[in-house]
Amino acid sequence: MAMQYSRKVMEHFKSPKNMGEMKNPDAVGMVGNQRCGDVMKIYLMVGKKDGKDIIKDIKFQTYGCVSAIATTSVTTEMVKGKTLDEAYKLTRDDVAGKLGGLPPIKMHCSNLASEALQDAIDNYRKKTANNKNNEGE
Amino acid sequence: MAMQYSRKVMEHFKSPKNMGEMKNPDAVGMVGNQRCGDVMKIYLMVGKKDGKDIIKDIKFQTYGCVSAIATTSVTTEMVKGKTLDEAYKLTRDDVAGKLGGLPPIKMHCSNLASEALQDAIDNYRKKTANNKNNEGE
Amino acid sequence: MNRIYLDTAATTRVDPEVMKAMEPYFTRDFGNMASLHSAGRDAENAVEKARRLISGKVNGKEHRLVFTSGGTESNNFALKGIAFANMGKGKHIITTRIEHDCVLNSARWLEKQGFEVTYLPVDRQGFVSTDDFADAIRKDTILASVIHANNEIGTIEPIRELGKIAHEKGVLFHTDACQSFTKVPIDLKKDNIDLMTVNSHKIYGPKGVGGLFIRQGMRIDPLLHGGGQEFGYRSGTVNVSGIIGFSKAADMMKENHVEHMAKLRDMLIEGALEIKDSWLNGPSGNLRLANNAHITFKHIEGESLIIHLDLKGIASSTGSACSSKTLEPSHVLTSLGLRPEEAHGSVRFSVGRDNTKEEIEYTIGALRESVETLRKISPLR
Amino acid sequence: MNRIYLDTAATTRVDPEVMKAMEPYFTRDFGNMASLHSAGRDAENAVEKARRLISGKVNGKEHRLVFTSGGTESNNFALKGIAFANMGKGKHIITTRIEHDCVLNSARWLEKQGFEVTYLPVDRQGFVSTDDFADAIRKDTILASVIHANNEIGTIEPIRELGKIAHEKGVLFHTDACQSFTKVPIDLKKDNIDLMTVNSHKIYGPKGVGGLFIRQGMRIDPLLHGGGQEFGYRSGTVNVSGIIGFSKAADMMKENHVEHMAKLRDMLIEGALEIKDSWLNGPSGNLRLANNAHITFKHIEGESLIIHLDLKGIASSTGSACSSKTLEPSHVLTSLGLRPEEAHGSVRFSVGRDNTKEEIEYTIGALRESVETLRKISPLR
Ligand SMILES: Cc1ncc(COP(=O)(O)O)c(C=O)c1O
Ligand SMILES: Cc1ncc(COP(=O)(O)O)c(C=O)c1O
C-alpha cells in the first residue's frame, strides 16, 4: 500500500535538520546496515552546563527511507542542548510521537535514530571513562 | 446467456401462421410434454391433387418457448399444399434453415415441429389404412 | 418506446450520480494504490473512505470489508477460503438448496476435493427451518452458508436465528446478501454474521465490484493470491473507480426507496394475481424482499412470456428451463415443491426505485394480454 | 505543477476515448448478459465484439478469451485451474523466480495442496535458459508458466522456444503477458501458447478487467464457480462496461506508440547512466520492454529517491524493501544476483505514450539532483 507519512515526517524529509558530517566530533554512533536498507550515523559535540554533560552540537548522516531520514533529523533536533542523561532516555516512541506518528510497518525498522544516539553517547562515555582511567594511572 | 433469435424466428413468434384449433381435422399429431416445457399439436385436413394426398389445411397449437412457437408456425407454412410424402420428409434442419438458424441449445429441444407433423401424418395413414381394411371386410 | 425495466434483481443501471463520483478515478486519480508516489496515495485515501462508508451501513466494526470483483467471487472466496483454511478442524459444510449458483457450485466443487456438504431443504415459501439447521450441525462442521434474501423468490431467511445457532455450536456463519444489502436492515454483530457477501451492480453501482465482510482474526485462505492487496486477503490491482462507485451507490440507497419499491411490488402482485390460474411464490409482506414479485401462470412457458413482454417494452425474468443453459428448471423453484411444468410458467418482476405506478399499471395490462395470447395458442387446458 | 507520470508498468490512466466508449454501458446498455430481454442481448453483442477484437490482436483463433477481473485472477485461474483439473496426470509445475507475485503465490499455495513446483533461476539480465527449462520437465509435469515480459526489469523471455519445448514434452504452456500485451507482438499459435494472461489497466483501459486465453478443448477447473457465464469458465455477472473499455484500449494501442515509448526509454536510460555509480538492470534493445527503464544507483535507498522525485512532480517506482509490506527487497532483483543493498537502490521508470521528450529531460535533471542530495546525507561512500 502507499505509505502514508505525516506532514511532519515529510517536512523533515524535505529539509533535514543538522544534516551532514561533523569535523572532529567528541563521539560517533552508528546503527543499522546497508543490507537492511538503513544506516544512521550520529556525531556528537559535548559541552558542560551546570556541571553536566550536554549535547552542544549534533549532526547526522542517514542512508535509508523517508522515515529513517525524518527520524534521525527530528532526533537531533529534540536532543540538542539536552544533557546526555536526558538524551539517553529518548525512545522510539518519543521520536515517532514528535513526528505525528509513523506508518506501523516503519515503526520498528527505520526508527533507529534513538539507538544511534545511545550508541554515540555510549561511545562518548567509554571514551571519557578510558581517558579518566588513563589519567588515573 | 441472452438468446439470440433470428429476425425470422421473431416474426413467427410475433404473428404465428396457421395458429389455433381445427374443427374436425382429418388427423392430429402431438409431441413433447409439459414437464420438458414444449408441447406441439398439429391438425391436418387432407385433400387430393393429381391423385396424391396433399395437405389442404393445417393448424397448430404450441405450448413452449419462442423457438417452439416459431418452428411450429414455420413448419405449417412450409408444408401447406405439399403432398403427405413430401411433408413427411421435412427435417429439423430444414425448419431451422428456413428460420435463419436457431440458437444451438434450442436446436434439439424446441425444434420438434417436424416430428409433430410426422406424427399427424402417421396418424392419418393409420386411420385411412384402418378404414380401407374395414372397407375390405 | 420508453422501456420499463423490471429486472433489478438481475442488475441495475449505474445511477448518474454514481457515474459522476467514479469519473475522476478513471482519468485523474487513477494511481495504483500500491505505488509510493502521491497518485497512489490519493487513490488509497478514497478507497479507505469507501470502505468505512459501506462498513458503516451494516455495523461492520468487528469486520474487515475486503473488496472483490463481485458477488460470485465473494461467495467462492468465502466457501473455498474457509474450507481450505480450516480443513484441519473438519470438512463438513452446511448450505441450502436455494442458494445462488455460485454458492452451490462452489460447494459442489469442494465436494470433489473431499469436503462433505449438507444442502438443507426449504418449505413451500422458501424458508429454511431453524430445527433442520441445528440438526445438520456436526462435530466436523466448519461453515454454514445461508442466503439472506433469495434472488428468485425474494424470501428473507431468519439469518439472525441461524447465526445464533451456528455460533452456539462453534460454526462460522456466512450469508450471501447480494439481494438484501441496502434493502433489508443488516447488523453484522447482532445478526451473528461472520462473513457476508455484498455487491454493487444490484444497487445502481457498477458491475465487477463486490465485497466480502470477514470477521477480524478469522482464518481464511485467499482465493486470489498475489501482491497482497486488501490486507493480504485479496490480491490484484485495486479497482479504485469501481469501489468509489460502489460506495456512492450504497450511500444513495435510502429507506424511502425501499418503501417505494415495496409499494410497487404489492401493486404488481395484486394485479398479476387477478389473472386466473396464477399464484405468488415466496412469502408476502415483510418477509419478502421489497423489489421482488414472483408469479406462476399455469400453462404458460416463461421464455415466451418474457419475450412477449419484451416486445411490449417490459424487461423481466423467468426460472423456466428454456431460458437456462442446462435446460433444467430453476433449482429454487423445484426446491419449493413446484413441478417442472409449474416452474416453466413462472416470471420474476423486480422493481426499482425509478419505476412509477403508471409503469406498473401498464405492465399489469400487458401481462394480462400476453398470458391470454399464449394460452390461446397452447394445446394445454 | 504538471505531474510527470512514469509508472505505466504499475497502471495507466483511462484514455478519454476509452471512457467515452464505456459510458453508454454504465447507464444505458447496462443489461445483464444472462437476461432474456433485449437489454441483455444488446450487452451480449457488445461483449462478443470486444472478445473478437482482443482475440484478433494475438491470433487467438484456436483459443477462447475468457474475461476476468484482472491479471491476478487470470494467473490464479490458469495455475489453479490447470492444477486441479489435471492432477490425475501429474502434480508438478514449472515456473520461474521472476514471476509476478500472483503466479508465485498461487504456486506456493498449490505446494501446500500437495503439488510440486520448480522455480527456474534466471541469468544476470533476467533470462530463463531454455536448457534449464527442458531439464526441469518431468513425466508428471502438467504445466509450465513463464512471464512474457517482466514487470520490474522489462526482460522479454524466449516464450516461443519455451513453448515449443513444453509442447514437445506434452506440457501445457502458460504465459503472463500483462506487461507485453500490445507492446510486444504475440501470436498465440506460432508462439506455442496454451494459456495467456492479459489485463486492461496497463494499456489505458479500466482497472478490474482482464482475460485468460484458453486453448479450446483444454481441461481447466473454473476459479469462480457459479452461474456459468463465459462459457462456464468464469462465473459472475459480466462486467460489460469494463470489457468494452478493455477492447477499446486494445484497439487504440498502435505500433507508433510502442516506437515512441522505446525512444523515450532509451533517452531516459542514457541520461540516468551518466550519473556515476549506476547501472541498467535487464537487457537493452529489442529484448527489453518498450516502456521500461530500470536503474540501480549505489548508496541510495529507493523509497527516499522515489519520494524525492515525487516532490518534484515525477511518479516512479522502486524494488526497495522499504517500499514493500514484507520489508524484503524485490524477489526479481535478488534473482538477478543483485545484493540486497543493490536492490534497495533501484528505481523503475516506465514511460507511456503521453510522455514527451521534455518530460524525460526534466526527469533526468531531477534524478541527478535527487541522487546527489541523498548521497550527500548518506554515511556510505
Ligand atoms: C443472491 C446472489 N448471489 C450472488 C450473485 C452473484 O453476484 P455477481 O453477479 O456480482 O457475481 C447474485 C447476482 O448475480 C445474487 O443475486
Ligand atoms: C506481469 C504482471 N502480472 C500480473 C499483474 C497483476 O494484474 P492485475 O493488477 O490486473 O491483477 C501485473 C500488474 O499488476 C503484472 O505486471
Side-chain angles (χ1 to χ4, degrees):
Chain A
M1 84 214 91
M3 291 297 168
Q4 303 273 11
Y5 287 120
S6 68
R7 207 172 37 79
K8 264 272 180 201
V9 168
M10 287 309 293
E11 274 168 21
H12 276 276
F13 176 71
K14 275 195 262 188
S15 355
K17 302 290 153 28
N18 307 306
M19 194 257 287
E21 217 176 325
M22 190 187 282
K23 307 268 171 232
N24 307 316
D26 291 328
V28 172
M30 185 143 136
V31 296
N33 76 60
Q34 206 180 337
R35 294 185 69 84
C36 300
D38 295 296
V39 183
M40 291 154 180
K41 197 165 178 179
I42 284 198
Y43 303 84
L44 290 183
M45 181 177 296
V46 181
K48 288 277 184 193
K49 197 179 167 190
D50 304 336
K52 286 184 182 146
D53 287 339
I54 63 154
I55 297 178
K56 220 177 117 189
D57 197 11
I58 182 164
K59 289 238 171 204
F60 82 91
Q61 285 182 309
T62 292
Y63 158 83
C65 64
V66 173
S67 54
I69 292 172
T71 51
T72 7
S73 169
V74 80
T75 296
T76 61
E77 210 183 44
M78 287 168 84
V79 300
K80 203 165 171 176
K82 291 260 160 73
T83 67
L84 292 193
D85 288 343
E86 283 167 344
Y88 203 91
K89 286 188 203 126
L90 193 80
T91 66
R92 292 182 183 195
D93 287 342
D94 297 336
V95 174
K98 185 82 180 177
L99 286 169
L102 281 175
I105 197 167
K106 297 288 188 176
M107 198 56 202
H108 292 281
C109 72
S110 0
N111 186 357
L112 299 170
S114 49
E115 279 85 343
L117 175 65
Q118 284 161 9
D119 188 48
I121 297 173
D122 283 342
N123 286 343
Y124 176 79
R125 286 175 173 161
K126 234 178 286 164
K127 209 163 94 179
T128 51
N130 283 347
N131 287 351
K132 282 213 185 90
N133 286 349
N134 292 350
E135 280 168 23
E137 273 181 340
Chain B
M1 82 215 91
M3 291 296 168
Q4 303 272 10
Y5 287 119
S6 69
R7 207 174 36 80
K8 263 277 183 198
V9 168
M10 289 308 293
E11 273 168 23
H12 277 276
F13 176 69
K14 275 194 262 184
S15 355
K17 302 289 154 25
N18 306 307
M19 193 256 287
E21 220 176 324
M22 190 187 283
K23 304 273 170 229
N24 306 317
D26 290 327
V28 172
M30 187 145 134
V31 296
N33 76 61
Q34 206 181 337
R35 294 184 69 84
C36 297
D38 294 297
V39 181
M40 291 156 180
K41 196 166 178 178
I42 285 199
Y43 302 84
L44 291 183
M45 180 177 293
V46 181
K48 287 276 180 195
K49 199 181 165 189
D50 304 336
K52 286 187 182 144
D53 286 338
I54 63 154
I55 296 178
K56 222 177 112 186
D57 198 10
I58 182 165
K59 289 238 170 203
F60 83 91
Q61 286 182 306
T62 293
Y63 158 83
C65 65
V66 172
S67 54
I69 291 173
T71 50
T72 6
S73 169
V74 80
T75 297
T76 61
E77 212 183 43
M78 288 169 83
V79 299
K80 203 166 172 176
K82 292 262 160 70
T83 67
L84 292 194
D85 288 345
E86 283 167 344
Y88 203 90
K89 285 189 203 126
L90 194 81
T91 66
R92 293 184 184 195
D93 286 343
D94 297 335
V95 174
K98 184 81 180 179
L99 285 169
L102 281 177
I105 196 168
K106 296 289 189 175
M107 198 56 202
H108 292 281
C109 71
S110 358
N111 186 357
L112 298 170
S114 49
E115 279 84 344
L117 175 64
Q118 286 160 8
D119 189 46
I121 296 173
D122 284 341
N123 286 341
Y124 176 77
R125 288 177 171 158
K126 235 178 284 164
K127 213 165 90 181
T128 51
N130 283 345
N131 288 350
K132 280 211 186 94
N133 286 350
N134 290 350
E135 280 168 21
E137 274 182 334
Chain C
M1 181 171 53
N2 237 340
R3 296 193 57 79
I4 300 175
Y5 189 74
L6 298 175
D7 203 11
T8 60
T11 193
T12 51
R13 75 196 175 95
V14 171
D15 190 281
E17 283 191 48
V18 169
M19 194 66 213
K20 213 186 292 165
M22 288 196 289
E23 259 160 13
Y25 295 93
F26 284 111
T27 46
R28 205 188 62 211
D29 298 338
F30 63 89
N32 189 329
M33 276 174 56
S35 301
L36 283 178
H37 48 73
S38 35
R41 290 196 299 276
D42 294 346
E44 188 176 16
N45 287 335
V47 166
E48 293 317 315
K49 215 176 124 196
R51 202 188 306 279
R52 283 193 300 274
L53 189 152
I54 298 172
S55 294
K57 294 254 152 187
V58 293
N59 190 20
K61 284 193 286 289
E62 294 176 1
H63 295 68
R64 205 150 226 178
L65 170 57
V66 174
F67 287 116
T68 68
S69 69
T72 297
E73 183 186 326
S74 295
N75 282 339
N76 274 262
F77 176 20
L79 268 76
K80 297 176 189 172
I82 292 292
F84 279 103
N86 296 279
M87 60 187 171
K89 281 201 282 181
K91 297 188 97 175
H92 181 239
I93 293 168
I94 297 170
T95 186
T96 80
R97 294 192 191 156
I98 60 160
E99 298 299 313
H100 191 271
D101 273 337
C102 53
V103 167
L104 288 180
N105 288 334
S106 292
R108 289 189 193 118
W109 185 80
L110 285 170
E111 286 186 278
K112 280 206 250 167
Q113 313 310 323
F115 290 85
E116 263 183 86
V117 182
T118 301
Y119 301 91
L120 293 175
V122 294
D123 67 17
R124 180 79 194 191
Q125 298 203 311
F127 290 109
V128 174
S129 130
T130 48
D131 286 347
D132 287 355
F133 184 83
D135 290 347
I137 296 178
R138 316 189 314 204
K139 277 232 173 66
D140 60 342
T141 307
I142 50 178
L143 175 71
S145 177
V146 176
I147 192 167
H148 187 196
N150 184 271
N151 49 303
E152 292 192 40
I153 53 171
T155 309
I156 300 172
E157 301 295 339
I159 49 162
R160 182 172 297 187
E161 289 72 40
L162 299 173
K164 186 155 177 274
I165 296 168
H167 283 182
E168 280 163 5
K169 306 219 185 172
V171 171
L172 295 176
F173 187 67
H174 168 251
T175 190
D176 172 359
C178 286
Q179 292 289 336
S180 56
F181 177 58
T182 73
K183 296 193 199 89
V184 183
I186 298 173
D187 183 314
L188 287 177
K189 192 179 159 74
K190 285 202 196 130
D191 291 338
N192 306 303
I193 298 168
D194 297 306
L195 304 119
M196 183 169 79
T197 293
V198 291
N199 65 0
S200 153
H201 72 90
K202 314 271 188 200
I203 61 167
Y204 304 91
K207 295 182 186 29
V209 197
L212 183 66
F213 285 94
I214 303 175
R215 189 184 290 280
Q216 305 221 7
M218 174 167 300
R219 288 166 58 93
I220 183 165
D221 272 19
L223 182 67
L224 268 57
H225 291 88
Q229 289 90 342
E230 294 292 291
F231 322 104
Y233 286 121
R234 200 278 187 185
S235 293
T237 298
V238 176
N239 180 359
V240 180
S241 58
I243 289 167
I244 301 306
F246 184 14
S247 88
K248 180 68 185 175
D251 197 31
M252 286 178 70
M253 273 294 243
K254 296 287 186 272
E255 185 55 38
N256 63 312
H257 292 136
V258 181
E259 285 161 14
H260 174 71
M261 289 190 271
K263 222 174 271 167
L264 297 186
R265 169 198 68 186
D266 290 338
M267 186 178 157
L268 182 50
I269 291 174
E270 204 183 312
L273 292 186
E274 279 172 12
I275 297 169
K276 78 168 189 281
D277 287 334
S278 68
W279 65 77
L280 179 70
N281 296 304
S284 47
N286 276 343
L287 292 177
R288 179 175 203 99
L289 203 55
N291 64 336
N292 176 297
H294 192 280
I295 321 271
T296 297
F297 299 98
K298 271 184 90 168
H299 299 330
I300 291 282
E301 192 285 318
E303 193 203 72
S304 283
L305 181 52
I306 280 344
I307 304 283
H308 235 271
L309 292 172
D310 189 44
L311 293 170
K312 294 181 170 137
I314 300 163
S316 59
S317 160
T318 173
S320 167
C322 294
S323 68
S324 79
K325 264 160 299 221
T326 54
L327 299 180
E328 292 292 326
S330 145
H331 64 274
V332 174
L333 300 183
T334 53
S335 298
L336 297 186
L338 260 63
R339 282 173 289 150
E341 58 268 37
E342 294 170 342
H344 295 318
S346 57
V347 180
R348 179 186 69 187
F349 299 98
S350 42
V351 302
R353 62 190 188 206
D354 309 326
N355 290 124
T356 62
K357 268 174 84 166
E358 291 67 38
E359 288 181 333
I360 303 301
E361 272 160 19
Y362 172 83
T363 300
I364 293 168
L367 184 59
R368 181 185 306 277
E369 251 177 53
S370 292
V371 169
E372 251 170 47
T373 308
L374 288 171
R375 281 187 178 157
K376 219 185 294 166
I377 72 168
S378 165
L380 310 174
R381 286 292 166 262
Chain D
M1 180 170 53
N2 237 343
R3 295 191 57 79
I4 299 175
Y5 189 75
L6 298 175
D7 204 11
T8 60
T11 194
T12 51
R13 76 194 174 96
V14 171
D15 189 281
E17 283 190 49
V18 169
M19 194 66 212
K20 214 186 293 167
M22 288 197 287
E23 260 161 12
Y25 296 92
F26 284 111
T27 47
R28 205 188 62 209
D29 298 338
F30 62 91
N32 189 328
M33 276 174 53
S35 301
L36 282 178
H37 48 73
S38 36
R41 291 195 299 274
D42 295 347
E44 188 176 16
N45 287 334
V47 166
E48 292 317 316
K49 215 176 124 194
R51 202 187 307 278
R52 282 193 300 274
L53 190 152
I54 298 173
S55 294
K57 293 254 152 186
V58 294
N59 189 20
K61 283 193 286 290
E62 294 176 2
H63 294 67
R64 206 149 225 179
L65 169 57
V66 173
F67 287 116
T68 68
S69 69
T72 297
E73 184 187 324
S74 295
N75 283 337
N76 274 260
F77 177 20
L79 268 77
K80 297 176 189 172
I82 292 293
F84 279 103
N86 296 279
M87 60 187 172
K89 282 200 283 180
K91 298 188 95 175
H92 180 239
I93 293 169
I94 297 170
T95 186
T96 80
R97 294 191 191 157
I98 60 159
E99 298 298 313
H100 191 271
D101 273 337
C102 53
V103 167
L104 288 179
N105 288 333
S106 291
R108 288 188 193 120
W109 185 80
L110 285 171
E111 287 186 278
K112 279 206 249 166
Q113 313 311 323
F115 290 84
E116 264 184 87
V117 181
T118 300
Y119 301 91
L120 294 174
V122 294
D123 68 17
R124 180 77 194 192
Q125 297 202 310
F127 290 109
V128 175
S129 129
T130 48
D131 287 346
D132 287 356
F133 184 83
D135 289 348
I137 295 178
R138 316 189 312 205
K139 276 231 175 63
D140 61 342
T141 307
I142 50 177
L143 175 72
S145 177
V146 176
I147 192 166
H148 187 195
N150 184 272
N151 50 303
E152 291 192 42
I153 53 171
T155 308
I156 300 172
E157 300 294 341
I159 47 163
R160 182 172 297 188
E161 289 71 40
L162 299 172
K164 185 154 177 275
I165 297 168
H167 284 181
E168 280 165 5
K169 307 219 186 174
V171 171
L172 296 176
F173 188 66
H174 168 251
T175 190
D176 172 0
C178 286
Q179 292 289 336
S180 56
F181 176 58
T182 74
K183 295 193 199 88
V184 184
I186 298 172
D187 183 314
L188 287 177
K189 191 178 160 73
K190 286 201 196 132
D191 291 340
N192 305 304
I193 298 168
D194 297 305
L195 304 119
M196 182 169 79
T197 293
V198 291
N199 65 1
S200 153
H201 72 92
K202 313 270 188 201
I203 60 167
Y204 304 91
K207 295 181 184 35
V209 197
L212 182 66
F213 284 94
I214 302 174
R215 189 183 289 281
Q216 305 222 7
M218 174 167 296
R219 288 165 59 94
I220 182 166
D221 272 18
L223 182 66
L224 267 57
H225 290 88
Q229 290 90 341
E230 294 292 289
F231 322 103
Y233 286 121
R234 199 278 188 184
S235 293
T237 298
V238 176
N239 181 359
V240 180
S241 58
I243 289 167
I244 302 305
F246 184 14
S247 86
K248 180 70 187 173
D251 197 31
M252 287 178 69
M253 273 296 242
K254 296 287 187 273
E255 186 54 38
N256 65 312
H257 292 137
V258 181
E259 286 161 15
H260 175 71
M261 288 191 272
K263 220 173 272 167
L264 297 185
R265 169 199 70 186
D266 290 338
M267 186 179 157
L268 181 49
I269 290 175
E270 204 183 312
L273 293 186
E274 280 173 12
I275 297 169
K276 77 166 188 274
D277 288 334
S278 68
W279 66 78
L280 179 69
N281 296 304
S284 45
N286 277 344
L287 291 177
R288 180 175 203 98
L289 202 55
N291 64 337
N292 176 298
H294 192 281
I295 321 271
T296 298
F297 299 98
K298 271 185 90 168
H299 299 331
I300 290 282
E301 192 284 319
E303 192 204 74
S304 283
L305 180 52
I306 279 347
I307 304 284
H308 234 271
L309 292 172
D310 189 45
L311 293 170
K312 293 180 171 138
I314 299 162
S316 59
S317 161
T318 173
S320 168
C322 294
S323 68
S324 78
K325 265 159 299 219
T326 54
L327 299 179
E328 292 293 326
S330 145
H331 63 275
V332 175
L333 300 182
T334 52
S335 298
L336 296 186
L338 260 64
R339 281 173 291 150
E341 58 268 35
E342 294 170 341
H344 295 318
S346 58
V347 180
R348 179 187 71 187
F349 299 99
S350 42
V351 301
R353 62 190 189 205
D354 309 326
N355 290 125
T356 62
K357 270 174 81 166
E358 291 68 39
E359 288 181 335
I360 303 302
E361 272 161 19
Y362 172 84
T363 300
I364 293 168
L367 183 59
R368 180 187 307 277
E369 250 178 56
S370 290
V371 169
E372 250 170 46
T373 308
L374 288 172
R375 281 186 177 158
K376 216 185 297 166
I377 72 169
S378 166
L380 310 174
R381 283 295 165 262

